[in-house]
Amino acid sequence: MDGDAPGPPRRQFGEEGGLLSYGGYLRLPELLAQQRPQSQAPDELLFITIHQVYELWFKLLLHELEGAREAMFAGELWQARHLFRRVHAVERVLIEQVEVLETMTPQDFMAFRANLAPASGFQSVQFRELEFLSGLRDERYLGSFRHISEEELARLRRRLAEPTLWDAYLTALSRRGLPVSDKEIMSSLLAVARNRGSYDDLWQLAEDLLTHDETAALWRMRHVQMVERQIGTKSGTGGSTGAPYLRGRTRLHYFPLLWELRAWL
Ligand code: HEM
Ligand SMILES: N[C@@H](CC(=O)c1ccccc1NC=O)C(=O)O
């Protein structure tokens, strides 16, 4: 009985005539038909599953980061922060789940690795979309995509043309009267850092951006550790030098000015 409880009356579910089911709603027949190893190697199912899980999370991250960008443009900083909290939680999961793939031995990986070339994580369109949206817009990757569809290429071009998270943050600063030209931006960031009484929301939002940057870098470091464990000094199936190439990418930052700011505080 709801009695005088405030709010809408509670509904008793369970009498909907069986219209919607768990598997139907989640499209499980379609989803579970997608894990199809190419070989008899026992660990290829693990390898495929883990990559598919990454791509599902990448899709969600793109969605939430687009939302955060929109909220920053609209000056709704609380909403952007709410979404960044979710983004960070997912990014921590992405790092944690490397451990699952590391239960595979290199010997077991070698049983199917040769069949993978020339495919590699290089060709993850959503991973590159995340980088572009976050502000790391390296157009050279457009040329390095072999075997991607016209639709995927168009998506990447669109990401290159659209505003980044940093563009959105700059808009949030200027909405509060802080100048954001190349010459003035560092003083504005310093003003935010030193006047928390007036700008704490902008400070916390910059910290959220920095955490997004930091967790992406942590994933890259975790990935290269796994790579060294699995293939040592071998070159990559995608044609790169392997671990040395990946090590070079661990130093990249989405928001270099937020790191540089530390030197001035
Ligand atoms: C046995 C496990 C893995 C190995 C040995 C491995 C190895 C490599 C290597 C060598 C590269 C450089 C490109 C190349 O020449 O092939 C690379 C790139 C990449 N891998 Fe993996 N990888 C593994 C698992 C994963 C997983 C689980 C993901 C998750 C999505 C992933 C995502 C990526 C991405 C996004 C790149 C491009 C990185 C960039 O350009 O900065 N890899 N991987
Ligand atoms: N590049 C890896 C192979 C690999 O990990 C991979 C192969 C196909 C699809 C995704 C992959 N994952 C990350 O690079 C290697 O060189 O062993």
Side-chain angles (χ1 to χ4, degrees):
M1 285 304 236
D2 287 341
D4 305 332
R10 289 201 205 151
R11 254 188 90 178
Q12 187 72 50
F13 288 112
E15 304 296 330
E16 283 74 24
L19 292 178
L20 194 63
S21 70
Y22 176 81
Y25 178 60
L26 300 172
R27 306 182 68 85
L28 292 186
E30 294 86 347
L31 181 68
L32 298 176
Q34 308 308 317
Q35 284 88 36
R36 294 203 214 150
Q38 298 191 78
S39 72
Q40 301 293 316
D43 284 7
E44 195 176 359
L45 182 62
L46 166 69
F47 190 82
I48 289 175
T49 305
I50 205 114
H51 282 84
Q52 289 179 337
V53 169
Y54 271 105
E55 292 291 336
L56 291 175
W57 283 126
F58 289 165
K59 180 166 176 176
L60 184 77
L61 286 180
L62 284 165
H63 174 74
E64 307 301 4
L65 288 170
E66 280 175 356
R69 180 183 59 185
E70 210 169 292
M72 286 191 276
F73 273 125
E76 291 170 349
L77 307 192
W78 55 272
Q79 173 66 1
R81 295 211 57 211
H82 166 69
L83 294 174
F84 272 118
R85 252 192 308 281
R86 183 174 303 158
V87 164
H88 300 156
V90 171
E91 288 175 330
R92 283 192 292 270
V93 168
L94 297 188
I95 295 169
E96 282 290 306
Q97 103 190 356
V98 168
E99 193 183 327
V100 181
L101 191 52
E102 275 192 336
T103 63
M104 176 174 74
T105 65
Q107 305 88 301
D108 289 341
F109 183 36
M110 291 311 126
F112 61 94
R113 180 179 186 241
N115 304 332
L116 301 178
S120 102
F122 257 161
Q123 295 167 321
S124 168
V125 172
Q126 292 200 106
F127 179 83
R128 219 53 82 187
E129 281 186 84
L130 282 167
E131 287 192 344
F132 290 176
L133 173 59
S134 299
L136 199 61
R137 292 198 273 195
D138 190 338
E139 296 192 23
R140 283 172 300 178
Y141 283 108
L142 286 191
S144 72
F145 280 108
R146 278 175 289 177
H147 309 300
I148 68 167
S149 66
E150 277 304 314
E151 190 273 326
E152 288 174 315
L153 197 58
R155 237 161 60 206
L156 285 168
R157 291 224 171 87
R158 213 163 42 242
R159 291 288 180 199
L160 277 178
E162 70 185 30
T164 64
L165 295 174
W166 187 246
D167 295 328
Y169 184 70
L170 293 183
T171 302
L173 288 177
S174 61
R175 275 173 159 272
R176 296 281 278 278
L178 293 159
V180 296
S181 71
D182 286 354
K183 242 179 66 194
E184 296 159 302
I185 180 66
M186 189 51 80
S187 334
S188 293
L189 294 174
L190 276 169
V192 167
R194 290 175 180 155
N195 300 293
R196 301 270 301 281
S198 312
Y199 297 128
D200 191 60
D201 51 351
L202 286 166
W203 167 257
Q204 298 295 347
L205 188 56
E207 290 294 279
D208 287 342
L209 288 168
L210 197 79
T211 300
H212 169 52
D213 193 334
E214 191 178 41
T215 33
L218 284 172
W219 182 83
R220 291 195 186 95
M221 291 177 208
R222 196 66 191 84
H223 174 256
V224 70
Q225 271 184 327
M226 165 177 60
V227 170
E228 286 177 341
R229 186 170 178 148
Q230 294 292 343
I231 65 169
T233 55
K234 293 178 176 128
S235 56
T237 52
S240 82
T241 55
Y245 160 76
L246 294 167
R247 283 245 169 259
R249 293 192 57 83
T250 60
R251 280 182 287 278
L252 295 173
H253 282 314
Y254 293 150
F255 314 112
L257 288 176
L258 294 182
W259 296 93
E260 194 186 322
L261 172 66
R262 271 55 198 167
W264 304 101
L265 293 177

